[in-house]
């Protein structure tokens, strides 16, 4: 019980005293008969409980009484509401009151604190006496009154209870009733009127809302208060480790690897060849990696329960970060209410009629089955409520229910079964790639999918085939889940007979002015700065009330009010009428203008370079200039479609115009290849193989940079990625066997023409590059027949040509020719296979591909694929320049040649997305930051952007429209 809310009441008309309970900032709940003779709006006196005795009496007025003719009202309905009007009144800084309704059949302990006659001291000064007992929901069911049996402490005589009328009765944290009188059943039996009964009377809820009381009743089933509702600990947002800290962490692995390499090189036997040096370097790398792995934290176990614990902690940290972003880098949310919408069949049982953000976890606990659909208008807080559900469930001390896992729905290819798609996402993002473990947790009921954005699966203002297919799949899934969707879109699906079955559907209501003002006051660093806004926000017909009615706009207002300039602009709209709409538009524009400057305020915990507000606005306007809300446009003639409201790092080239970035990428490709060709020419010249056959060898290499430059200037390129997880899958091994088949096909015609050694080397190189490249980096739905039909002739042409022209140089040429044939075969055959797949409704990117958990992962994976490919080619080149007779060069030249060839093969051939990204930066030099990915990450952390699968999206459509204007 909060003692600061206990009030003593004095009626000067009837000279009667009583008790009350403060349920708002200035609203007191008491019994009717204490103030029965007081005229409406007449004065009574109240006094706050003060153990020191220093509290003075303050004036109050009567604002609500039950109507005698209220339909269905019991004659014993005895309640009243007072409002404290004293100018020197200061409300206590305590949490908001929670209201409850006792249900079920079990007794429930309760407590109250009043001022009865039994403890009156000389001078008519009343002391306090607690009411400690229990309520029995089975007693007085017909009258709907609450019976309290006092079973602890002093029990005075019947007359001694006078003065305790109006005492607030609490069961745990919930106010459930108001004590009205003692019953004659037995000593210590009191009667109280439930708050839920008062809420049914005309004017009660309306009066509470008018005076700023957040009123939502929660069912209490008779069990003692659950301590798990309270947080165990709160995750603390800490800045990322500094560069010095990261370097210190890498010091031990680097030292171990270097020492191992040097020790093995010191033990080099006589005439070892290049094999010993390469093995020494590889051993050093493995030693450093092993040191770092052993120094890392170890898990407590690999069983199902250990996986659940790791999953719970990972999701709790991730949701805490996302929730803070949605709240404008704060932790305080608006306690918005929602109502349950009946769906006229197949609803979940035990759904409460109303709820709010604070009670969303308890709302879900009561559902049978635990399936929930959250709807609301744009900016109403659907995603935030979903995250609030996850946050409150995982904040419990001993939560043993299914772990809620938030996932964005926009990337789900509904041709994939829900269990397969969700297990892949869960495994790759939270369980270290273990899809088997993810499927086991899903099948055992240990996880609860929280699916966000059903309305974002399809383009607006049209048919919704993906959403319909998603609902059909989710209806086949019998487990617990939560789903968010915009209200109008979900209603349209419902009218078409498509909705989620066996669930509760809730609609988030508009923010009431009193809740909006409480939110602004709680988030403000200087509450007095916004004091003038309260009356205007709560008045009808004002622009501030019309605009500040959604969590999105209230969050913008709270951010703007953090500075003097922002608060002054917000207060300048006081008194502006809502009629006409001009003031509303100006207020919205003002709040959007103040958003970026407020987010650019320096953060002492952030050691990164601070961005200037003007620069951030300019960069975001450039990045979003070609976006159109709710529309899509074709990316190229192949049929691929790029969502126009998405900011994908690998599709940002249109920012620089239709050609600039693409042709800059082609120029970068040529620049990556020129050093390799130059150093190879030097090596060939030193060994007297120029002009022939060295010129022919260089001529055979020229198609690779030309093909790579042509790909780099394409309008749509898919980022490369290397998925080592596929090596353990059936798809991966089948593709490796396909590559081995291609190698065998190449060896058959090459053996009689170029000899068995050349044919074996060419076949092995082609099989390795083609098979592993196809297995590790190519999309799952490529058409194999068309792929092979194009790849085999291309590979044959390259290898046969190399064998005829320069095959006499040895088997190393066969290996190089085979590797090149495999790479060119993939570069030519994969687009043909994808075009064929598109003709049968395939050929689109893999749905939520593994290894792409964030919007920056496509670029990161593309660069990593280039690095891996470059390292392999550099090692082959180093071997050739050190050991092959016609290519041999001294160490410095060999190393430079190997590095140049690695750059040509990796960044210059494989990492096509990386080259387009660099081309964009060069084409937009001075107009975009050079560290564009760091800027996008900063915008995401600050809440300007949100992540939706593999892309960024502007946080809200209104912000996107404002940036475009």
């Amino acid at each position: 019980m909060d003692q600061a809310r206990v009030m003593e009441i004095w009626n000067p008309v009837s000279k009667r005293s009583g008790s009350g309970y403060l349920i708002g900032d200035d609203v007191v709940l008491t019994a009717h008969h204490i103030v029965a003779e007081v005229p409406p709006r007449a004065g009574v006196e109240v006094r706050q409980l003060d153990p020191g005795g220093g509290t003075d009496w303050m004036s109050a007025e009567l604002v609500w009484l039950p109507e005698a003719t209220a339909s269905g009202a019991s004659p014993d309905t005895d309640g009243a509401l007072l409002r404290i009007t004293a100018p020197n009144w200061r409300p206590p800084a305590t949490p908001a009151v929670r209201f409850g309704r006792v249900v079920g059949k079990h007794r429930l302990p309760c407590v109250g604190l009043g001022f009865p006659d039994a403890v009156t001291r000389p001078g008519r000064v009343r002391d306090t006496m607690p009411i400690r007992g229990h309520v029995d929901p089975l007693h007085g069911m017909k009258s709907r009154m609450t019976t309290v049996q006092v079973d602890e402490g002093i029990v005075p005589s019947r007359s001694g209870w006078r003065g305790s009328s109006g005492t607030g009765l609490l069961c745990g944290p919930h106010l459930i009733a108001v004590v009205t009188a003692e019953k004659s059943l037995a000593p210590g039996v009191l009667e109280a009127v439930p708050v839920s009964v008062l809420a049914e009377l005309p004017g009660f809820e309306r009066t509470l809302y008018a005076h700023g009381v957040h009123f939502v009743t929660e069912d209490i089933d008779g069990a003692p208060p659950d301590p798990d509702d309270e947080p165990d600990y709160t995750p603390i947002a800490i800045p990322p480790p500094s560069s010095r800290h990261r370097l210190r962490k890498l010091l031990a692995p680097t030292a171990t690897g270097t020492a191992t390499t040097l020790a093995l090189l010191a033990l080099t036997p006589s005439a070892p060849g290049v094999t010993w040096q390469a093995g020494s370097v590889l051993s050093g790398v493995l030693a450093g990696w092993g040191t770092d792995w052993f120094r890392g934290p170890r898990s407590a176990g690999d069983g199902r329960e250990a996986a659940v614990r790791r999953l719970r902690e990972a999701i709790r940290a991730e949701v805490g970060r996302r929730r803070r972003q949605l709240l404008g880098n704060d932790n305080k949310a608006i306690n918005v209410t929602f109502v349950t919408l009946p769906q006229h069949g197949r609803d979940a049982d035990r759904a409460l009629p109303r709820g709010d953000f604070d009670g969303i976890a308890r709302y879900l606990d009561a559902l049978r089955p635990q399936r929930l659909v959250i709807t609301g208008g744009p900016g109403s807080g659907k995603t935030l409520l979903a995250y609030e559900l996850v946050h409150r469930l995982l904040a419990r001390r001993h939560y043993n229910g299914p772990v809620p896992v938030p996932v964005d729905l926009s990337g789900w290819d509904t041709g994939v079964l829900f269990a397969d798609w969700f297990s892949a996402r869960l495994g790759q993002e939270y369980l270290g790639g273990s899809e088997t473990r993810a499927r086991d947790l899903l099948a055992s009921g240990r996880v609860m999918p929280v699916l966000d954005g059903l309305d974002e699966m399809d383009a607006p203002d049209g048919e919704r085939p993906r959403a319909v297919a998603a609902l059909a799949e989710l209806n086949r899934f019998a487990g617990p889940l939560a789903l968010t969707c915009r209200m109008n879109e979900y209603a349209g699906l419902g009218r078409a007979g498509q909705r989620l079955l066996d669930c509760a559907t809730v609609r988030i209501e508009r923010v009431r002015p009193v809740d909006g003002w409480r939110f602004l006051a709680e988030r403000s660093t200087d509450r007095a700065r916004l004091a003038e806004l309260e009356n205007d926000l709560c008045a009808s017909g004002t622009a501030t009330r019309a605009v500040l009615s959604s969590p999105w706009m209230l969050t913008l207002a709270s951010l703007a009010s953090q500075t003097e300039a922002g608060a002054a602009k917000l207060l300048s709209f006081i008194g502006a009428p809502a009629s006409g709409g001009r003031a509303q538009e100006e207020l919205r524009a003002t709040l959007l203008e103040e958003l970026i400057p407020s987010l650019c305020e320096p953060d002492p915990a952030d050691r990164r370079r601070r961005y200037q507000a003007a620069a951030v606005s300019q960069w975001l306007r450039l990045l979003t200039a070609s976006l159109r809300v709710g529309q899509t446009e074709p990316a190229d003639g192949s049929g691929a479609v790029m969502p126009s409201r998405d900011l994908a790092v690998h599709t940002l080239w249109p920012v620089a115009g239709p050609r600039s970035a693409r042709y800059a990428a082609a120029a970068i490709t040529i620049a990556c290849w020129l050093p390799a060709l130059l150093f190879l020419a030097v090596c060939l010249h030193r060994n007297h193989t120029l002009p022939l056959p060295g010129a022919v060898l260089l001529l055979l290499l020229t198609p690779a940079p030309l093909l790579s430059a042509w790909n780099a200037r394409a309008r749509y390129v898919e980022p490369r990625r290397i998925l080592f997880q596929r090596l353990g899958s059936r798809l991966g091994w089948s593709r490796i066997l396909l590559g081995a088949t291609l190698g065998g096909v190449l060896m058959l015609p090459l053996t009689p023409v170029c000899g068995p050694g050349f044919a074996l080397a060419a076949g092995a190189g082609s099989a390795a590059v083609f098979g592993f490249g196809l297995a590790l980096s190519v999309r799952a739905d490529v058409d194999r027949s068309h792929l092979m039909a194009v790849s085999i002739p291309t590979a044959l042409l390259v290898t046969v040509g190399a064998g005829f022209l320069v095959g006499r140089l040895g088997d190393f040429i066969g290996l190089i020719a085979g590797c090149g044939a495999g790479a060119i075969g993939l570069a030519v055959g994969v687009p043909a296979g994808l075009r064929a797949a598109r003709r049968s409704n395939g050929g689109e990117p893999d749905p939520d591909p593994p290894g792409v958990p964030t919007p920056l992962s496509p670029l990161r994976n593309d660069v990593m694929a280039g690095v891996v490919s470059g390292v392999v080619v550099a090692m082959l080149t180093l071997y050739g320049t050190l050991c092959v007779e016609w290519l041999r060069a001294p160490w410095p030249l060999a190393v430079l040649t190997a590095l140049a060839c690695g750059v040509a093969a990796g960044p210059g051939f494989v990492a096509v997305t990386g080259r387009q990204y660099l081309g964009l930066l060069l084409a937009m030099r001075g107009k975009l930051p050079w560290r564009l990915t760091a800027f996008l990450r900063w915008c995401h952390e600050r809440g300007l952007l949100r992540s939706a699968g593999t892309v960024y999206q502007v946080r809200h459509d209104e912000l996107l429209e404002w940036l475009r204007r």
Side-chain angles (χ1 to χ4, degrees):
M1 167 173 286
D2 199 338
Q3 297 181 10
R5 293 188 175 275
V6 177
M7 307 294 291
E8 187 176 1
I9 299 174
W10 172 251
N11 183 348
V13 178
S14 61
K15 309 299 183 182
R16 178 181 296 173
S17 62
S19 306
Y21 197 79
L22 186 69
I23 60 175
D25 287 345
D26 55 6
V27 178
V28 179
L29 178 63
T30 186
H32 177 196
H33 68 267
I34 298 175
V35 293
E37 300 178 10
V38 177
R41 299 294 176 180
V44 295
E45 294 184 346
V46 298
R47 180 165 60 180
Q48 188 180 17
L49 172 62
D50 181 7
T55 305
D56 296 328
W57 289 98
M58 296 187 180
S59 59
E61 63 179 6
L62 186 63
V63 292
W64 178 84
L65 286 175
E67 298 179 12
T69 60
S71 176
S74 169
D76 297 325
T77 303
D78 194 355
L81 294 175
L82 308 177
R83 177 176 175 268
I84 302 175
T85 58
N88 58 338
W89 164 250
R90 294 293 180 269
T94 58
V97 176
R98 292 162 56 184
F99 301 90
R101 178 181 60 181
V102 179
V103 297
K105 58 183 180 180
H106 301 289
R107 298 196 308 175
L108 186 67
C110 62
V111 64
L113 188 62
F115 304 90
D117 289 352
V119 288
T120 302
R121 297 184 302 183
R124 302 296 297 173
V125 176
R126 296 176 180 272
D127 213 328
T128 58
M129 173 178 284
I131 299 174
R132 301 181 185 272
H134 65 268
V135 297
D136 194 334
L138 299 181
H139 187 91
M141 296 179 66
K142 288 187 175 182
S143 65
R144 305 180 64 195
M145 302 297 287
T146 297
T147 300
V148 185
Q149 181 177 338
V150 181
D151 49 21
E152 292 186 29
I154 302 172
V155 180
S157 62
R158 179 178 174 83
S159 61
W161 285 110
R162 292 188 58 187
S164 64
S165 297
T167 299
L169 200 64
L170 289 97
C171 293
H174 297 89
L175 179 67
I176 63 166
V178 179
V179 175
T180 57
E182 187 191 32
K183 304 187 74 170
S184 59
L185 297 176
V189 178
L190 306 178
E191 187 174 64
V193 55
V195 176
S196 59
V197 173
L198 294 176
E200 299 175 2
L201 300 180
F204 183 80
E205 288 193 53
R206 185 173 64 252
T207 303
L208 293 182
Y209 295 155
H211 294 92
V213 179
H214 184 87
F215 183 77
V216 173
T217 56
E218 305 172 39
D219 285 352
I220 310 170
D221 61 2
D226 187 2
D228 293 345
D229 283 345
E230 299 301 325
D232 184 10
Y233 57 88
T234 302
I236 300 174
I238 59 176
S242 62
S243 301
R244 180 181 301 177
H245 178 82
R246 289 193 291 266
L247 291 175
R248 192 184 305 121
K249 184 179 179 181
L250 293 175
L251 183 61
T254 303
T256 302
T258 304
T260 302
T261 302
L262 294 178
L264 291 176
L265 290 176
L267 299 174
T268 303
S270 57
V274 74
T275 307
W276 184 272
Q277 287 82 2
S280 300
V281 174
L282 181 61
S283 300
V285 173
L286 293 176
W289 174 81
T291 301
D292 184 65
W293 185 82
F294 279 110
R295 292 172 71 238
R298 303 272 75 84
S299 60
D302 295 327
R304 178 186 290 172
E305 296 304 323
V308 170
R309 289 194 296 270
R310 293 196 302 269
L311 177 64
R312 184 183 296 121
E313 292 304 317
I315 291 179
R316 181 175 182 178
E318 177 66 15
V319 167
R321 181 185 63 82
R322 296 183 188 178
R323 178 177 177 270
R324 184 174 179 84
Q325 289 175 357
L326 290 174
L327 292 173
N329 293 308
D330 208 311
N331 287 322
K332 289 188 176 297
I334 309 172
N335 193 18
V336 180
T337 59
F338 56 83
V339 296
T340 302
L341 302 177
Q343 297 297 308
H344 310 295
R346 301 297 295 271
D347 291 353
D349 296 330
R350 299 172 56 183
L352 301 177
R354 298 176 64 88
D356 57 8
F357 269 39
D358 289 345
I360 180 61
R362 293 183 294 275
Y363 183 94
L364 182 72
D365 288 340
L367 291 180
R368 294 296 182 271
Q370 291 184 329
R371 293 163 66 88
L372 176 66
V373 177
I374 301 171
T375 68
S380 60
K382 300 179 295 297
T383 301
L384 181 57
L385 181 57
Y387 285 155
E388 194 73 16
L389 171 64
V390 178
H391 172 73
R392 290 184 178 273
L393 286 176
L394 297 182
R396 294 175 172 178
R397 285 193 179 96
H398 308 290
Y399 177 67
N400 295 319
V403 180
V405 181
V407 177
D408 187 84
L409 274 176
S410 59
W412 178 19
D413 178 4
T414 51
V416 180
L417 295 178
F418 172 72
D420 296 341
W421 168 76
F422 185 79
S423 298
R425 287 289 302 266
L426 176 61
Q428 295 299 330
E429 295 186 16
Y430 296 106
L431 298 176
S434 178
E435 185 175 341
T436 302
R437 174 63 69 190
R439 185 177 293 274
D440 173 67
L441 295 182
L442 183 64
S444 62
R446 301 301 181 93
V447 297
M448 180 180 70
V450 179
L451 310 174
D452 184 32
L454 179 69
D455 53 289
E456 297 176 359
M457 297 187 70
D458 302 281
D461 302 328
E463 296 183 358
R464 299 185 174 274
R466 295 182 64 207
V468 171
L471 288 173
E473 274 291 310
L474 294 177
N475 282 326
R476 297 188 188 102
F477 175 71
L481 63 85
L483 177 69
T484 72
C485 183
R486 285 192 178 184
M487 178 175 56
N488 292 338
E489 283 78 355
Y490 193 74
L493 290 169
R495 287 190 296 270
Q498 304 295 332
R499 62 182 177 89
L500 190 66
L501 303 179
D502 303 318
C503 69
T505 303
V506 302
R507 182 189 66 223
I508 300 178
E509 296 184 311
R510 294 174 67 88
V511 181
R512 292 191 297 267
V514 293
D515 291 330
W517 166 248
R518 182 182 295 274
F519 169 76
L520 292 176
E522 289 177 348
R523 297 242 308 199
S524 176
T525 56
D526 185 0
R527 185 174 296 189
R529 182 186 295 165
L530 297 178
E532 302 176 19
L533 184 65
E534 179 178 7
N535 293 333
D536 193 69
L537 182 62
C538 296
S540 60
T542 62
T544 54
R545 176 168 181 169
V547 172
L548 303 183
S549 59
S550 68
W552 161 243
M553 280 295 156
L554 280 165
T555 301
L556 295 185
S558 69
L559 291 172
S561 65
Q562 302 302 319
T563 62
E564 290 286 351
K569 291 182 179 179
L570 180 60
L571 296 177
S572 67
F573 287 89
I574 291 179
S579 58
R582 181 176 178 82
Q584 298 182 44
E585 292 299 324
E586 292 179 352
L587 177 55
R588 290 178 182 274
T590 299
L591 294 179
L592 289 168
E593 288 173 1
E594 292 298 315
L595 173 61
I596 294 178
S598 65
L599 294 177
C600 290
E601 289 294 317
D603 185 357
D606 194 348
R607 293 184 291 270
R608 293 172 296 184
R609 183 174 63 87
R610 177 189 172 189
Y611 292 109
Q612 299 298 322
V616 172
S617 300
Q618 177 187 354
W619 295 337
L620 285 178
R621 286 192 172 98
L622 286 173
L623 292 173
T624 59
S626 60
L627 302 184
R628 289 191 293 273
V629 181
Q631 298 184 14
T632 59
E633 56 185 357
D636 58 10
S638 63
V641 174
M642 293 188 302
S644 63
R645 67 189 305 265
D646 295 340
L647 286 173
V649 178
H650 56 284
T651 59
L652 287 179
W653 57 265
V655 174
R659 295 183 179 86
S660 299
R662 294 156 54 203
Y663 285 99
I668 293 172
T669 303
I670 301 300
C672 289
W673 276 91
L674 286 178
L677 296 175
L678 176 63
F679 280 116
L680 285 174
V682 171
C683 292
L684 293 172
H685 178 71
R686 285 178 52 87
N687 291 280
H688 307 289
T689 55
L690 284 179
L692 294 175
V696 178
L697 179 64
L698 294 177
L699 186 63
L700 289 174
L701 290 176
T702 52
L706 295 178
L707 178 63
S708 183
W710 181 262
N711 289 336
R713 60 157 296 280
R715 297 186 65 187
Y716 180 80
V717 294
E718 185 180 357
R720 317 292 189 187
R721 65 183 188 277
I722 295 180
L723 303 178
F724 290 103
Q725 296 90 343
R726 277 192 182 165
L727 291 180
S729 66
R730 181 180 302 175
L731 175 66
W733 282 107
S734 66
R735 289 185 167 186
I736 292 174
L737 292 177
L738 196 65
T741 303
L742 177 62
V745 170
L746 291 178
M747 283 191 290
L748 292 177
L750 287 175
T751 301
V753 175
C754 303
F758 184 92
L760 181 62
S766 178
V769 173
F770 189 89
F772 280 93
L774 186 64
L776 299 180
S777 61
V778 178
R779 299 195 293 219
D781 60 351
V782 65
D783 187 276
R784 290 192 178 191
S785 60
H786 288 79
L787 167 71
M788 297 300 292
V790 175
S791 298
I792 290 179
T794 303
L796 273 173
L797 180 64
V798 172
T799 50
V800 170
F804 269 118
L805 296 175
V806 290
R808 65 182 181 274
L809 291 178
D811 297 344
F812 183 72
I813 279 291
L815 179 63
I816 298 301
C819 292
I824 294 176
L826 282 176
V828 174
V830 169
L834 291 177
R835 283 194 296 269
R838 290 191 188 103
R839 289 195 290 268
S840 58
N841 296 323
E844 296 303 321
D846 291 342
D848 296 309
V852 192
T854 69
L856 297 181
S857 295
L859 178 62
R860 188 182 302 116
N861 290 349
D862 186 85
V863 173
M864 183 56 63
V867 169
V868 172
S869 304
V871 169
V872 172
V873 172
M875 293 177 64
L876 287 174
T877 307
L878 185 62
Y879 172 79
T881 52
L882 292 176
C883 302
V884 178
E885 182 69 26
W886 54 270
L887 198 60
R888 187 171 295 167
W891 268 96
L893 181 58
V895 171
L896 290 176
T897 304
L899 292 177
C901 290
V903 170
F909 187 83
V910 175
V912 60
T913 299
R915 300 197 301 276
Q916 268 201 354
Y917 170 75
L918 186 57
L920 169 66
L921 296 182
L922 291 176
M924 297 292 291
R925 56 190 180 278
K927 298 180 181 179
L928 286 177
W930 284 106
R931 297 184 62 193
L932 180 58
T933 55
F935 170 69
L936 293 174
R937 191 184 304 112
W938 178 86
C939 291
H940 182 244
E941 293 173 355
R942 292 295 175 134
L944 289 170
L945 301 178
R946 63 176 183 175
S947 59
T950 60
V951 299
Y952 286 122
Q953 291 179 345
V954 179
R955 176 176 174 180
H956 199 277
D957 287 347
E958 279 191 287
L959 178 59
L960 176 58
E961 293 174 358
W962 176 80
L963 287 171
R964 288 177 53 78
R965 289 197 299 266

